[in-house]
Every structure is written in C-alpha cells, then in structure tokens.
C-alpha cells in the first residue's frame, strides 16, 4: 500500500494558461503552509515538479523528509502556443480547438502542446515509477492542478471530463492510497 499526498503549489495569480512557464508562486501565507504541514505524515519521501512554483512550495513546507530530485515528468500539461494566453485570446483565433480541448479532453492539444491523454500517460508513468521505487512509503508530491486531476481520474476510474470537474485549490491536499485492491480517495482538495 502506498499513500500519495498531493499538494498543489502556491498561487501564481496569473489568469492565463500556465503550463511549462517557470513562474513563481506566492508563498506569503506562512500560516496556511504551517497548518497544511500538520496533515502530512511524519515520515516518507517528498518530491516536486521541477518548475519553480512547485519546487519553491515544497521548500516552503520545511519538512524533514528525504527530498527526492525534482521530476520534469510531474510538470503541468504543456499548453504549447497557448502558453500564458488568456482563454478569451485563444478563443478568438482557435475557437473550435480550445473548446474541443476542454469539452472532449483526450487527443486534442494546443498547437505545439500536449494532449490530455499524452499528459496522463506521462504523469501516470511518473507516479508508477515513484510507487515502484518506494513501495509501502508515504510520498508527498508537490505538483500542479492537472497532475492532481490526472491521478484523481485514475482513482475514480472515470473519464477526463468528469475528473476535470474537481476543484483543486492552491495549497490544498489530496490524499490518495494505492494498494493491490485498487485506489482509495481519502482527502480531496482539503484546505487546512
């Protein structure tokens, strides 16, 4: 059995599509970060995406857990040519494609970006590799909205559109457990 504690990084305050852009997180809410730490296990391993907003959030937790090297395969979905653009901007020039991206997530991708299905293959493999490397250990994983939703999709055994209905707040905790009998969701978007 493996316990996976997913934490969404601190807010960027950007309203645009933020995928692989290496923007900082606002980590000024020290009280919220401190409260969040009380819900994390006393031991285990910690890892984050290699993007600054996730890496710095992991640092801000100030946990004494072994810190694994940052993992590029835990990055947010790659928005390609839509990166850092507002939805309204994209809709004007790429209306059908952007609606297909959200209404029927799967194979549709942003130009020069990543499809939901490709993204899930990447993140599923990264999580599987962690569980195989550290069986029976708690894993604290500081990542992005999409990564957390992709793992909720696995746990629920549902389609992408269903999984995307979940709200995942910054600094929230989603606790999933994987065992031979399958997935269990213990906490979803828990805010301390």
């Amino acid at each position: 059995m493996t316990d996976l504690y997913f934490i969404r990084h601190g807010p960027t305050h950007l309203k645009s599509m933020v995928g692989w852009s290496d923007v900082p997180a606002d980590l000024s809410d020290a009280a919220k970060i401190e409260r969040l730490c009380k819900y994390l296990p006393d031991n285990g391993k910690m890892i984050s995406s290699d993007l600054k907003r996730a890496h710095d959030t992991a640092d801000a937790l100030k946990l004494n857990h072994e810190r694994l090297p940052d993992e590029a395969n835990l990055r947010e979905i790659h928005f390609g040519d839509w990166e850092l653009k507002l939805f309204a901007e994209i809709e004007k020039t790429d209306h059908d494609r952007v609606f297909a991206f959200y209404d029927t997530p799967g194979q549709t991708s942003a130009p020069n970006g990543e499809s939901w299905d490709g993204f899930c293959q990447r993140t599923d493999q990264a999580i599987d590799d962690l569980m195989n490397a550290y069986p029976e250990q708690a894993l604290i994983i500081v990542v992005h909205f999409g990564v957390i939703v992709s793992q909720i999709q696995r746990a629920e055994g549902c389609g992408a559109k269903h999984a995307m209905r979940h709200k995942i707040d910054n600094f929230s905790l989603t606790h999933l457990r994987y065992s031979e009998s399958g997935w269990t969701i213990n906490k979803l978007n828990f805010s301390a």
Side-chain angles (χ1 to χ4, degrees):
M1 176 178 68
T2 303
D3 282 296
L4 304 153
Y5 296 85
F6 291 97
I7 297 170
R8 185 175 179 201
H9 60 75
T12 66
H13 304 299
L14 296 172
K15 303 298 181 202
S16 56
M17 303 263 200
V18 182
W20 285 19
S21 294
D22 208 8
V23 298
D26 176 355
L27 302 172
S28 61
D29 194 343
K32 187 169 189 84
I33 294 167
E34 186 177 332
R35 286 192 308 271
L36 174 62
C37 289
K38 293 177 183 175
Y39 293 92
L40 298 174
D42 292 332
N43 53 38
K45 311 282 188 204
M46 184 165 69
I47 190 168
S48 73
S49 152
D50 66 337
L51 295 175
K52 182 174 183 55
R53 59 193 184 272
H55 174 90
D56 290 353
T57 300
D59 283 349
L61 295 171
K62 297 180 182 169
L63 299 176
N64 291 323
H65 299 61
E66 179 185 347
R67 180 82 175 262
L68 302 173
D70 293 345
E71 176 54 62
N73 285 323
L74 291 174
R75 286 183 176 192
E76 182 60 276
I77 194 168
H78 187 1
F79 288 115
D81 295 351
W82 296 345
E83 188 72 19
L84 297 180
K85 291 185 179 177
L86 298 171
F87 185 87
E89 274 181 89
I90 299 164
E91 183 186 15
K92 287 178 185 175
T93 59
D94 212 354
H95 179 273
D96 292 344
R97 191 176 197 160
V98 76
F99 275 92
F101 183 80
Y102 286 107
D103 287 344
T104 55
Q107 291 301 312
T108 304
S109 66
N112 299 307
E114 192 171 29
S115 72
W116 180 258
D117 288 350
F119 168 71
C120 287
Q121 286 178 326
R122 169 170 62 83
T123 57
D124 288 356
Q125 187 61 60
I127 297 302
D128 288 348
D129 289 348
L130 283 168
M131 290 192 297
N132 289 329
Y134 305 101
E136 308 294 320
Q137 294 190 44
L139 297 168
I140 299 167
I141 305 168
V142 184
V143 286
H144 312 273
F145 171 85
V147 177
I148 297 168
V149 169
S150 74
Q151 298 313 296
I152 292 169
Q153 179 179 333
R154 285 176 91 181
E156 290 184 332
C158 63
K161 189 166 183 177
H162 178 80
M164 286 183 185
R165 81 188 195 295
H166 290 290
K167 183 177 180 172
I168 305 296
D169 295 317
N170 295 104
F171 294 127
S172 69
L173 170 63
T174 296
H175 175 197
L176 307 179
R177 179 174 290 145
Y178 182 77
S179 67
E180 289 180 9
S181 59
W183 290 92
T184 307
I185 298 174
N186 292 326
K187 282 186 175 40
L188 188 63
N189 193 38
F190 174 78
S191 185

